[in-house]
């Protein structure tokens, strides 16, 4: 019998005896399933947050901030500066003028529906072309706010997460009452966590005079960004920096995403250690229960390598079953789950949905397989090194 045939025969024999050790085998599989479920669940938070920040990041939309500013909150422009930016070469235009929106960004407090406690919510003052500039912002309930009036529209994420944002309700923000006249979607992105109003109304409400904090501009094409950026940075009247919206949003999500991923992997490592010991215990017990069988196989001429590989394949099979169950459970439990968290770079709440991606599921299965192989390695070596005569004397 050749080497491959020996491996196949011993492995099939090992797998067929698993029902006789179903208690220990089930414990190992469940342990690995738990590791995979937790890993996928935690990392799906980071994937969902990252997706929410990226989904609205179009390559033909640029955001312009004051030179040296990292966020909109630390930036500032005069009206004349925003006009110069809007008139820069590369900005798309319509019959009504350039597609650029000079905007304000302030943080307000609203009670969360889930807890009733106040949380930070982004309140954005926008120009009349803001929806056209972004492209994916659509009114899905009610209507758009009227310029010059204390009216707001709420993103779907904000309306879902915070009390008082129902259509037709009035909310007290600062010294003014604001009527919620519409709810908008933003392609599942960060804009859905915001409340919008007319920038000209927000300026006096927050004593901002005639100032703005950022400009969003729709470019003639993604390729026009370089020309647009060069024209801005070489203009002696301006001290600005221009970023693609996609780059800006990715940067805004980087800190929290990295933190969640670190925490998720750390938790999974701790659980994996426990699952690994469980797998080792299971396979050691399996080897101990099959001592006489393994010795008999070796006495019949089966080599050491087929015995080692058969034990490792058995451990791998249990790990893959556990990993598959854990991945499926995490997918159905977490994918699409709605939540909100603090974006540390803006100190405001961002509504998002947990996202279980195929890549994440694949990584989790690889993680499970690794645990299975490590868990089966040492018991396999022990089985192969067991003296045949000693094994045959086992009862």
């Amino acid at each position: 019998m050749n080497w491959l045939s020996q491996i196949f025969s011993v492995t099939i024999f090992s797998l067929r005896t698993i029902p006789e050790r179903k208690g220990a085998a089930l414990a190992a599989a469940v342990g690995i399933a738990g590791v995979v479920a937790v890993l996928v669940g935690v990392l799906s938070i980071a994937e969902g947050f990252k997706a929410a920040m990226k989904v609205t990041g179009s390559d033909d939309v640029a955001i312009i901030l004051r030179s040296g500013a990292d966020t909109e909150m630390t930036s500032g422009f005069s009206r004349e500066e925003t006009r110069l930016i809007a008139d820069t070469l590369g900005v798309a235009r319509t019959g009504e003028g350039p597609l650029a929106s000079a905007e304000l960004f302030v943080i307000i407090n609203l009670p969360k529906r889930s807890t009733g406690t106040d949380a930070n919510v982004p309140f954005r003052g926008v120009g009349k072309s803001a929806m056209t500039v972004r492209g994916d912002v659509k009114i899905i309930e009610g209507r758009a706010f009227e310029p010059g009036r204390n009216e707001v529209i709420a993103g779907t994420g904000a309306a879902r997460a915070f009390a008082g944002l129902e259509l037709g309700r009035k909310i007290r923000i600062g010294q003014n009452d604001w009527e919620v006249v519409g709810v908008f979607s933003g392609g599942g992105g960060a804009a859905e966590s915001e409340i919008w109003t007319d920038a000209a109304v927000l300026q006096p409400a927050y004593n901002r005079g005639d100032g703005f904090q950022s400009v969003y501009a729709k470019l003639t094409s993604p390729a026009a960004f370089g020309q647009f950026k060069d024209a801005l940075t070489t203009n002696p009247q301006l001290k600005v920096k221009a970023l693609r919206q996609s780059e800006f949003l990715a940067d805004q999500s980087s800190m929290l995403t990295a933190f969640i991923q670190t925490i998720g992997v750390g938790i999974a490592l701790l659980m994996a250690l426990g699952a690994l010991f469980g797998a080792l215990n299971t396979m050691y017990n399996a080897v101990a229960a099959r001592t006489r069988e393994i010795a008999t196989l070796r006495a019949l001429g089966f080599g050491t390598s087929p015995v080692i590989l058969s034990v490792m394949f058995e451990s791998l099979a249990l790990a893959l079953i556990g990993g598959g169950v854990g991945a499926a459970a995490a997918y159905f439990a977490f994918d699409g789950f709605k939540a909100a968290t603090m974006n540390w770079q803006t100190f405001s709440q961002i509504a998002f949905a947990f996202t279980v991606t195929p890549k994440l599921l694949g990584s989790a299965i690889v993680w499970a397989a690794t645990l299975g192989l490590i868990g089966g390695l040492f018991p396999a070596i022990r089985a192969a090194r067991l003296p045949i005569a000693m094994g045959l004397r086992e009862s």
Side-chain angles (χ1 to χ4, degrees), residues 180-327:
V180 182
V181 298
V183 176
F184 68 88
S185 66
E192 293 186 353
S193 300
E194 300 177 348
I195 304 171
W196 285 13
T197 191
D198 182 10
V201 177
L202 189 60
Q203 284 173 327
Y206 279 81
N207 299 315
R208 296 300 177 91
D210 205 26
F212 299 88
Q213 290 170 290
S214 61
V215 178
Y216 283 74
K218 179 81 169 179
L219 305 180
T220 54
S221 70
F225 177 76
Q227 181 186 45
F228 172 71
K229 182 178 180 180
D230 290 342
L232 283 177
T233 54
T234 56
N235 188 336
Q237 296 175 278
L238 296 171
K239 293 183 179 180
V240 302
K241 68 175 183 180
L243 301 166
R244 293 185 191 272
Q245 189 186 21
S246 54
E247 297 171 348
F248 175 73
L249 292 176
D251 179 69
Q252 293 295 292
S253 67
S254 59
M255 185 183 296
L256 182 60
T257 300
F259 174 77
I260 293 174
Q261 289 174 335
T262 300
I263 293 296
V265 171
I267 293 173
L269 282 172
L270 291 175
M271 291 193 64
L273 188 60
L276 180 58
F277 282 119
L280 284 168
N281 184 61
T282 297
M283 297 315 300
Y284 273 124
N285 288 336
V287 169
R290 295 171 52 216
T291 298
R292 193 170 183 179
E293 298 170 7
I294 292 172
T296 301
L297 289 171
R298 293 183 60 203
L300 292 173
F302 286 87
T304 300
S305 295
V307 172
I308 291 176
L309 291 174
S310 70
V311 175
M312 292 186 67
F313 284 147
E314 179 182 341
S315 179
L316 178 61
L318 292 176
L320 290 176
I321 291 171
V325 170

Side-chain angles (χ1 to χ4, degrees), residues 31-306:
I32 291 176
V35 173
V36 169
V38 170
L39 178 66
V40 172
V42 175
L43 294 187
S44 69
I45 301 174
E47 290 294 327
F49 184 79
K50 187 164 58 175
M53 296 299 285
K54 281 184 176 180
V55 72
T56 53
S58 176
D59 285 339
D60 64 352
V61 176
I63 177 172
I64 300 88
L65 303 175
R66 172 71 62 185
S67 180
D70 294 324
T71 68
E72 292 178 84
M73 296 180 66
T74 58
S75 179
F77 294 120
S78 67
R79 182 175 296 277
E80 176 60 19
E81 287 174 318
T82 64
R83 186 191 64 78
L84 290 171
I85 293 169
D87 289 337
T88 300
L89 189 66
V91 176
R93 303 180 71 90
T94 66
E96 297 181 355
L99 290 180
S101 173
E103 300 185 357
L104 289 174
F105 185 89
V106 299
I107 300 298
I108 63 173
N109 289 326
L110 288 178
K112 297 183 72 172
R113 292 185 185 277
S114 57
T115 62
T117 57
D118 284 349
N120 293 340
V121 185
F123 190 20
R124 184 181 293 275
V126 301
K128 62 181 180 180
S129 60
M131 290 189 182
T132 307
V133 168
R134 287 168 172 81
D136 55 1
V137 175
K138 310 291 183 185
I139 298 293
I140 59 173
E141 292 184 56
R143 59 175 174 82
F145 59 80
E146 291 186 16
R149 303 186 63 175
N150 284 15
E151 295 180 345
V152 301
I153 55 175
T156 53
R160 181 180 65 245
F162 302 101
L165 295 180
E166 297 84 2
L167 197 64
R169 287 283 297 274
K170 287 191 175 182
I171 55 175
R172 186 76 173 176
I173 302 175
Q175 301 300 314
N176 301 323
D177 291 323
W178 306 75
E179 183 180 359
V180 182
V181 298
V183 176
F184 68 88
S185 66
E192 293 186 353
S193 300
E194 300 177 348
I195 304 171
W196 285 13
T197 191
D198 182 10
V201 177
L202 189 60
Q203 284 173 327
Y206 279 81
N207 299 315
R208 296 300 177 91
D210 205 26
F212 299 88
Q213 290 170 290
S214 61
V215 178
Y216 283 74
K218 179 81 169 179
L219 305 180
T220 54
S221 70
F225 177 76
Q227 181 186 45
F228 172 71
K229 182 178 180 180
D230 290 342
L232 283 177
T233 54
T234 56
N235 188 336
Q237 296 175 278
L238 296 171
K239 293 183 179 180
V240 302
K241 68 175 183 180
L243 301 166
R244 293 185 191 272
Q245 189 186 21
S246 54
E247 297 171 348
F248 175 73
L249 292 176
D251 179 69
Q252 293 295 292
S253 67
S254 59
M255 185 183 296
L256 182 60
T257 300
F259 174 77
I260 293 174
Q261 289 174 335
T262 300
I263 293 296
V265 171
I267 293 173
L269 282 172
L270 291 175
M271 291 193 64
L273 188 60
L276 180 58
F277 282 119
L280 284 168
N281 184 61
T282 297
M283 297 315 300
Y284 273 124
N285 288 336
V287 169
R290 295 171 52 216
T291 298
R292 193 170 183 179
E293 298 170 7
I294 292 172
T296 301
L297 289 171
R298 293 183 60 203
L300 292 173
F302 286 87
T304 300
S305 295

